[in-house]
Amino acid sequence: ITVGANHPSYKNLIIIALLNGHSVMNFRYLIVYVMTIRMWDGSFNIDILNAQFHQRGVRIGLTVFAIKKYTVFLKIFIETAEKYFMVGHKVCYYVFTDRPQDIPSFSLGEGRTLNVIEVTSYKRWQDVTMRRMQIISENCLKRFIYEVDYLVCSDVDMMFAGHHGVEMLSDVFAAIHPGFFQASRKQFTHERRPESQGYIPEDEGDYYYTGCYFGGKVEEVYKVANFCHHAMMADKAKNMEALWHDESYLNRYFLYYKPTKLLSPEYVWNNYYGSPVYVKIKRFLHVDKDFEKIRSN
Ligand code: 2GW
Ligand code: MN
């Protein structure tokens, strides 16, 4: 959309943004702002949404990878998901792991199931995190499309701490990386080498999206994951790897295929960034990890 600063809708856009509690720094951001729906506390009526989604009998898949030592994160992840994630809806957890024997059993709420799927691990941690895209895309075709309507793809070193309901679902949704919510475009750590498939020009890029939480309809998640996997393979053939691995390719995908819903930092927060007033509810948190210990082989 191109709307000049003198256009009457310019004022309306600013008013909408301010009513939602945002400072308007840059008109370009503002346009993207109104194109995507942001989910903040108070911006949705969960009772109406729950009724609509129940009527449709919507099934939601949650994919998570616990490879090597990262199996330790699963307990808190699933236990807190049972408390907060899509409560009252049909939920299917998909746990991908190379250590199925290390996966504890969980007591799950009604209508909720957990599938453990064995996958092979990779030596390099960059491959462990990036290959998630390949595995997700393959399973979209093989399995998810037959079993669920929406998919939510998450890191495992996370815990739910507040309501995560159907308000977040959309054809494609993404979340802003908590460290870049207030950053300017110049500060975004996008991949800047034009030769890379993750390339985003200096004067482009709406947000810096996190790689740890995204999703949507199965057919849309397939497109996201398939793109990221192939972009990564094309770079690999040139002996390249984007700066932030899968996260960089994900950001590149969203540059030209924008998410239809944008989750506020309430939905992905990291206490490393403190407790700013705009995050009224911390719904999902990065778990502290001992990097040395957890990432060593
Ligand atoms: C091992 C060594 C170093 C880094 C990751 C791993 C590792 C990751 C592992 O041994 N086993 C494993 O299952 N993982 C999976 O990859 C797990 O699901 C984990 O949550 C995910 C991403 O790795 P993580 O959480 O350590 O990386 P973060 O929190 O720094 O993630 C951000 O950056 C990544 C790319 O570098 C991804 O884009 C991720 O989605 C981002 O949140
Ligand atoms: Mn993580």
Side-chain angles (χ1 to χ4, degrees):
I1 310 179
T2 29
V3 181
N6 295 325
H7 193 279
S9 44
Y10 181 80
K11 266 191 205 142
N12 293 340
L13 296 181
I14 292 185
I15 291 164
I16 294 167
L18 292 176
L19 283 176
N20 278 286
H22 298 285
S23 62
V24 178
M25 294 173 295
N26 179 324
F27 188 65
R28 213 160 28 183
Y29 286 88
L30 188 58
I31 288 296
V32 178
Y33 173 91
V34 291
M35 285 170 64
T36 40
I37 308 160
R38 289 174 170 221
M39 302 314 296
W40 288 93
D41 190 44
S43 69
F44 54 89
N45 181 323
I46 192 60
D47 298 327
I48 294 174
L49 292 173
N50 273 337
Q52 288 172 340
F53 278 77
H54 278 306
Q55 201 168 34
R56 286 163 55 195
V58 164
R59 302 157 301 172
I60 304 131
L62 177 55
T63 70
V64 71
F65 287 72
I67 311 283
K68 296 190 260 196
K69 290 185 184 167
Y70 275 55
T71 50
V72 297
F73 293 113
L74 204 60
K75 192 169 179 321
I76 287 201
F77 182 87
I78 301 287
E79 282 177 0
T80 58
E82 280 297 293
K83 253 172 107 176
Y84 296 112
F85 183 80
M86 304 290 170
V87 175
H89 295 274
K90 291 178 202 148
V91 171
C92 212
Y93 298 102
Y94 297 101
V95 176
F96 294 92
T97 184
D98 59 334
R99 300 180 177 178
Q101 68 284 359
D102 287 3
I103 308 300
S105 57
F106 296 96
S107 66
L108 303 176
E110 201 193 318
R112 303 171 80 97
T113 54
L114 188 145
N115 301 287
V116 177
I117 301 159
E118 189 166 357
V119 289
T120 51
S121 172
Y122 285 89
K123 259 216 189 79
R124 291 178 66 244
W125 68 264
Q126 295 88 341
D127 289 323
V128 170
T129 151
M130 288 193 300
R131 289 289 177 155
R132 291 183 295 171
M133 291 300 190
Q134 177 178 19
I135 296 169
I136 290 169
S137 73
E138 287 169 1
N139 278 277
C140 280
L141 302 179
K142 254 197 341 223
R143 175 154 198 186
F144 301 149
I145 193 76
Y146 303 109
E147 298 182 5
V148 291
D149 303 298
Y150 290 93
L151 266 183
V152 179
C153 306
S154 177
D155 267 19
V156 72
D157 56 339
M158 306 290 298
M159 61 178 282
F160 292 90
H163 170 89
H164 270 240
V166 293
E167 74 282 356
M168 58 187 269
L169 300 178
S170 187
D171 284 6
V172 196
F173 67 83
I176 299 174
H177 189 297
F180 295 89
F181 179 62
Q182 291 194 304
S184 66
R185 174 178 283 161
K186 268 204 280 252
Q187 296 166 298
F188 295 165
T189 52
H190 288 142
E191 172 57 59
R192 300 297 187 193
R193 290 168 297 176
E195 313 80 64
S196 168
Q197 298 295 312
Y199 173 58
I200 295 183
E202 293 280 348
D203 57 349
E204 290 185 49
D206 311 308
Y207 301 104
Y208 189 80
Y209 301 100
T210 178
C212 82
Y213 207 52
F214 65 92
K217 294 237 174 86
V218 177
E219 39 288 45
E220 292 298 328
V221 171
Y222 171 75
K223 291 185 212 162
V224 174
N226 190 51
F227 168 87
C228 292
H229 172 59
H230 284 101
M232 176 197 113
M233 293 309 279
D235 273 4
K236 217 181 191 52
K238 288 198 275 183
N239 226 347
M240 285 188 92
E241 195 165 85
L243 183 61
W244 287 105
H245 322 110
D246 43 293
E247 193 168 79
S248 298
Y249 300 112
L250 188 71
N251 271 273
R252 163 65 189 234
Y253 181 84
F254 288 146
L255 176 60
Y256 301 122
Y257 301 93
K258 302 205 187 293
T260 51
K261 199 174 264 186
L262 182 61
L263 304 181
S264 75
E266 291 174 1
Y267 288 82
V268 178
W269 192 248
N270 189 334
N271 278 330
Y272 174 80
Y273 302 109
S275 301
V277 284
Y278 54 81
V279 185
K280 272 195 274 173
I281 303 181
K282 295 174 181 175
R283 302 175 189 273
F284 197 35
L285 287 165
H286 286 262
V287 174
D288 277 337
K289 53 185 187 256
D290 179 341
F291 283 92
E292 283 279 306
K293 225 164 120 191
I294 200 75
R295 289 181 167 181
S296 61
N297 277 312

